Amino acid sequence: MRQLYRLWPTVCVALAPGLASASVSTSCAASAMDVVVVGGGLAGLCATIEAAKRGAKVTIIDKEANLGGNSAKASSGMNGANTQAQRDQGITDSVEKFIEDTLSSGDGLAVVELVHTLAEQSRETHEWLKSLGLHLSDVVQLGGHSTARTHRFPPTPEGKPQPVGWTLVSGLRKILETELKDQVTIRTKSSFKELLIEDGRVMGLNFEHENGTEQLRGTVVLTAGGYANDHADSSLLDLHTPALAKLPTTNGPFATGDVIKALVKQEAGVKTTLMDKVQIHPTGFIEVKQPNFHTKFLAPEALRGSGGILLCHGKRFANELGRRDYLTEEMFKHCKPLFDKEENPLSAAMLLTEEAVEKYGSGAMGFYKFKGLVQDVGTVEAAAEAMGTSAEVLKKTLEDYNEAAERGQDKFGKKVFPVRFPSTAHLYVAFVTPTWPGCRRCCSSACVSDIVCVLKQIVWRMLMS
């Protein structure tokens, strides 16, 4: 979930990291039946569908050639409390626990009202997606959560993996192109330039495309603004987080904070907030053959939620299901550059068993192996060799882990042990490094698509007011 704030009147709703407020009129500036959505990721697609289903004529613009954005790359899951999928699996959860976990992860920075909206509407949102043919029926426990509540798509009957972000984006995009094609206009290769403000009221926006500049009038919904791949001269990363700005990122090259920069430059009363709180994800895959390539594939939390453990020099150093900020800090404390070469990025090894791979999805693991991100090493001895440590050290680590799993808690406070590591286990090794994912630290840890429920509710309020 990204920070969500209203840019009043109901003509403008912002769902962009760092946007705080706007000094514009609270009266409706244009017909609520005309809506312009900026950004074609999951938030923008959901906003478009919800507005169109309630009778609005919607134009969605995105600066890329295709809709999807970073949402299409998301791979861990979508959180929810008291869902049918949880009940089907015998998982006990509550809205109150979801709120508590999210506020705890936020360290006092979360917007309490929005956290309540997120948790209280999460079950309904899963039902809403299910009604659209998108049923996230597989549930796992990930970092920052006290129970299993991160929902994913199970493999198809043929065993084909269904990546969460790509499957959601594809399904929602298909609805726009078929069921809602008469109400929705899709404009790609179109970049937001500025809000159209007349007499203190937002009336629409100006945008740029291949043939020049154009104007659209109506309610504006901003669902863009990520800046985790912003390395221009005016970089928001350099401005707000210079010490971490050089870390690699999992974001696409389009995540350059254009919307935030444009609104601030326009001096429309928009303010930014918590811009230095962009969260670091502890596990971006390192491709061993080109370890310093800046853009990384995300090694999703679902890998650790399925049983993967993290090692430095053959030893564990943290609770793998802890919060992202905690894990990142522990990696900086205990780990060294890949293969101890100073020019390489900081690295930890992720170790998985065949059982963990099956829990996560063997089809997706096949893709990671094909890309050279995961090594199928087989034995403990081969795993130790790949990591550059001794087999004896690794065997002792795994023995200690198994004993802690039997006790139900280890010295790092871990209480959930998805798999064991028997001496005969078939093993896989990957190398990971802290990476910019673009999520806000004031959110719950597994925040791939929690914005769906917040957006759906806010758009409903917008069109009904």
Side-chain angles (χ1 to χ4, degrees):
M1 173 183 129
R2 293 175 178 173
Q3 290 281 11
L4 175 84
Y5 296 90
R6 291 186 185 231
L7 296 180
W8 290 105
T10 56
V11 295
C12 194
V13 177
L15 187 84
L19 291 181
S21 62
S23 56
V24 292
S25 169
T26 58
S27 61
C28 193
S31 170
M33 301 306 288
D34 296 314
V35 176
V36 185
V37 176
V38 180
L42 184 56
L45 292 169
C46 290
T48 300
I49 289 173
E50 187 71 1
K53 282 183 173 289
R54 294 183 179 276
K57 291 288 186 180
V58 188
T59 300
I60 181 171
I61 68 172
D62 193 283
K63 71 177 184 179
E64 292 297 292
N66 298 293
L67 301 179
N70 280 318
S71 298
K73 302 169 68 176
S75 53
S76 282
M78 175 177 167
N79 300 318
N82 286 338
T83 66
Q84 186 61 51
Q86 286 178 311
R87 291 194 291 272
D88 290 344
Q89 296 183 38
I91 298 167
T92 301
D93 196 7
S94 70
V95 169
E96 292 72 24
K97 287 170 64 178
F98 193 179
I99 292 172
E100 180 181 348
D101 289 347
T102 307
L103 291 175
S104 175
S105 292
D107 282 344
L109 300 175
V111 180
V112 176
E113 177 188 3
L114 297 180
V115 172
H116 277 263
T117 298
L118 166 69
E120 291 165 2
Q121 302 297 333
S122 61
R123 182 187 62 79
E124 176 190 332
T125 300
H126 278 274
E127 291 301 315
W128 181 73
L129 289 172
K130 186 177 179 181
S131 73
L132 300 177
L134 299 165
H135 188 196
L136 294 98
S137 58
D138 183 30
V139 189
V140 296
Q141 180 170 349
L142 300 188
H145 298 277
S146 58
T147 191
R149 68 167 65 97
T150 304
H151 296 60
R152 307 172 62 219
F153 291 106
T156 66
E158 298 77 29
K160 183 179 179 180
Q162 299 189 85
V164 176
W166 178 258
T167 305
L168 281 172
V169 163
S170 299
L172 297 175
R173 186 171 55 201
K174 184 177 180 180
I175 292 172
L176 299 187
E177 295 170 346
T178 56
E179 177 185 344
L180 299 175
K181 65 180 181 180
D182 295 331
Q183 288 179 262
V184 175
T185 300
I186 299 173
R187 300 291 297 270
T188 54
K189 297 183 180 180
S190 301
S191 301
F192 172 86
K193 301 305 291 181
E194 62 183 0
L195 293 173
L196 177 62
I197 302 176
E198 298 175 359
D199 298 325
R201 299 158 64 196
V202 176
M203 302 297 292
L205 58 80
N206 293 319
F207 71 101
E208 189 173 71
H209 50 78
E210 293 174 305
N211 298 317
T213 302
E214 193 171 334
Q215 185 179 102
L216 289 170
R217 300 176 74 86
T219 296
V220 178
V221 183
L222 300 175
T223 67
Y227 50 96
N229 208 339
D230 183 17
H231 299 285
D233 292 339
S234 58
S235 169
L236 294 171
L237 295 178
D238 287 338
L239 178 63
H240 297 287
T241 59
L244 299 172
K246 301 306 179 185
L247 287 175
T249 181
T250 61
N251 280 209
F254 45 80
T256 52
D258 297 352
V259 171
I260 293 177
K261 292 177 185 178
L263 292 175
V264 171
K265 181 179 179 181
Q266 190 177 1
E267 298 181 349
V270 174
K271 298 179 181 179
T272 58
T273 182
L274 303 176
M275 294 289 285
D276 61 331
K277 297 298 187 291
V278 177
Q279 190 179 74
I280 303 300
H281 196 293
T283 55
F285 277 124
I286 298 175
E287 188 174 350
V288 175
K289 292 183 179 179
Q290 47 177 359
N292 291 299
F293 188 65
H294 185 74
T295 301
K296 306 293 187 188
F297 280 93
L298 184 68
E301 284 170 292
L303 286 169
R304 287 175 276 127
S306 299
I309 61 173
L310 297 176
L311 308 164
C312 289
H313 308 291
K315 298 180 180 180
R316 292 178 64 234
F317 56 90
N319 173 4
E320 291 84 3
L321 296 182
R323 281 171 29 179
R324 293 177 182 173
D325 53 350
Y326 153 78
L327 270 176
T328 299
E329 183 178 354
E330 293 304 303
M331 288 178 71
F332 279 119
K333 284 181 183 178
H334 299 284
C335 300
K336 295 182 179 180
L338 181 68
F339 305 140
D340 291 327
K341 294 183 179 180
E342 291 186 6
E343 66 272 21
N344 286 342
L346 183 78
S347 171
M350 181 183 292
L351 188 67
L352 301 109
T353 64
E354 189 75 47
E355 182 183 358
V357 167
E358 291 297 326
K359 284 177 178 287
Y360 176 74
S362 57
M365 189 59 62
F367 171 77
Y368 295 145
K369 288 192 291 182
F370 170 76
K371 295 295 292 184
L373 305 173
V374 174
Q375 302 175 47
D376 182 347
V377 294
T379 65
V380 172
E381 290 78 11
E385 183 178 0
M387 294 179 196
T389 190
S390 73
E392 289 71 23
V393 168
L394 182 55
K395 287 178 181 178
K396 180 65 165 60
T397 295
L398 299 182
E399 289 171 3
D400 291 345
Y401 184 85
N402 292 334
E403 291 175 4
E406 292 302 318
R407 293 194 304 270
Q409 184 169 343
D410 68 8
K411 64 181 180 180
F412 304 111
K414 187 171 186 175
K415 297 180 180 179
V416 177
F417 300 85
V419 301
R420 305 294 191 270
F421 285 80
S423 59
T424 57
H426 189 104
L427 301 176
Y428 297 77
V429 172
F431 294 98
V432 295
T433 190
T435 307
W436 286 104
C439 290
R440 303 284 284 180
R441 181 172 170 235
C442 41
C443 309
S444 186
S445 289
C447 60
V448 172
S449 52
D450 299 328
I451 43 78
V452 179
C453 63
V454 180
L455 230 299
K456 193 167 83 70
Q457 293 301 313
I458 231 71
V459 170
W460 181 86
R461 295 178 195 173
M462 175 185 74
L463 294 177
M464 295 299 102
S465 60

